[in-house]
Amino acid sequence: MFKRAIYKRLGLLFCISIIGIFWNCKSSDITDDENYTTDINKLEMLLEKEAYSIDIEAALPFVTASTQQVANALFLSRTGNTASRVYVGGDGHFIEIKNDSVKGDLPFFGERRLSGGPYGGRNGGIAFEGLPENFEKSLNKNKRKLEIKFSISQTGESSERYDVNLEIFPSKNAVVNINSTYKTSMGYTGNLRLENESQ
């Protein structure tokens, strides 16, 4: 009799535990669904915009042995930066997209391939302005991000071409990846600033 009462109580506790677990999972699913819907709504609003400005906060160079040695020798040990992440916030680096044209001024930390491009180019960084080629803008709902892609030439050096990939998230954080004809690839992180927002 006593054992039967204990088994009943243990069975009841087990059932309550299982119900509690399922309830918590269901609540989590509802919250995730609400967050997902909110994020997609934000991104759909961004997709409709025709003007974007990305303020660059950090440069993410492609690190080779040579760039690591140079970076360590020059400044990294005293600044808190690393060879794979250099803080550039407040230096005025940006990417702007307005209707059909793009403009960008970005720092470059890496190696230039000797096989191409004019010797002694005017700009050591990545700079472009004008009408891009292969411009695409799309919403990636699975990864919750707005994707913008285009190709454009370096200002004043038409042989230097860049493939630019922008990813904008609902939080307005942005990631930029640039592949170049003559320079090692670069990544950047930054923040989206819409045209009607103050700096």
Side-chain angles (χ1 to χ4, degrees):
M1 194 74 173
F2 181 70
K3 286 184 178 179
R4 190 178 295 170
I6 290 177
Y7 288 137
K8 280 185 179 178
R9 287 183 182 168
L10 287 175
L12 184 61
L13 283 173
F14 180 73
C15 289
I16 290 171
S17 299
I18 295 297
I19 291 170
I21 289 170
F22 283 130
W23 179 259
N24 285 337
C25 290
K26 182 65 178 169
S27 299
S28 175
D29 289 345
I30 291 170
T31 304
D32 286 346
D33 287 347
E34 289 174 357
N35 289 340
Y36 177 80
T37 303
T38 301
D39 286 350
I40 296 304
N41 289 339
K42 288 179 182 177
L43 291 170
E44 285 175 342
M45 290 172 58
L46 287 174
L47 184 66
E48 298 301 316
K49 303 275 185 191
E50 294 187 347
Y52 307 88
S53 182
I54 308 293
D55 296 325
I56 301 299
E57 294 290 320
L60 313 171
F62 177 77
V63 180
T64 64
S66 300
T67 55
Q68 179 75 50
Q69 288 174 348
V70 171
N72 287 339
L74 291 179
F75 61 92
L76 293 182
S77 60
R78 297 180 301 279
T79 63
N81 293 313
T82 66
S84 59
R85 188 181 189 283
V86 181
Y87 179 76
V88 295
D91 291 348
H93 299 293
F94 67 91
I95 292 178
E96 288 179 354
I97 300 171
K98 287 189 179 179
N99 300 321
D100 295 335
S101 65
V102 297
K103 184 177 182 181
D105 183 7
L106 306 165
F108 176 70
F109 303 97
E111 296 178 21
R112 185 177 176 92
R113 299 179 187 102
L114 298 176
S115 61
Y119 179 75
R122 291 180 288 175
N123 190 332
I126 294 174
F128 51 82
E129 183 173 5
L131 298 175
E133 294 179 10
N134 307 317
F135 187 89
E136 297 177 18
K137 184 167 65 167
S138 61
L139 178 57
N140 187 328
K141 290 187 177 182
N142 290 334
K143 296 187 177 178
R144 302 188 197 190
K145 62 183 178 180
L146 177 65
E147 298 176 331
I148 300 173
K149 300 177 182 180
F150 60 87
S151 299
I152 194 162
S153 295
Q154 168 82 12
T155 301
E157 298 178 30
S158 60
S159 62
E160 176 87 65
R161 302 279 301 163
Y162 301 119
D163 291 324
V164 181
N165 295 305
L166 264 168
E167 298 175 346
I168 301 172
F169 298 90
S171 61
K172 295 187 179 177
N173 289 332
V175 175
V176 183
N177 288 296
I178 298 181
N179 291 312
S180 167
T181 311
Y182 302 126
K183 297 180 175 90
T184 51
S185 59
M186 283 289 299
Y188 304 90
T189 59
N191 300 302
L192 173 68
R193 178 171 39 85
L194 298 173
E195 202 169 43
N196 57 351
E197 294 178 340
S198 58
Q199 290 197 13

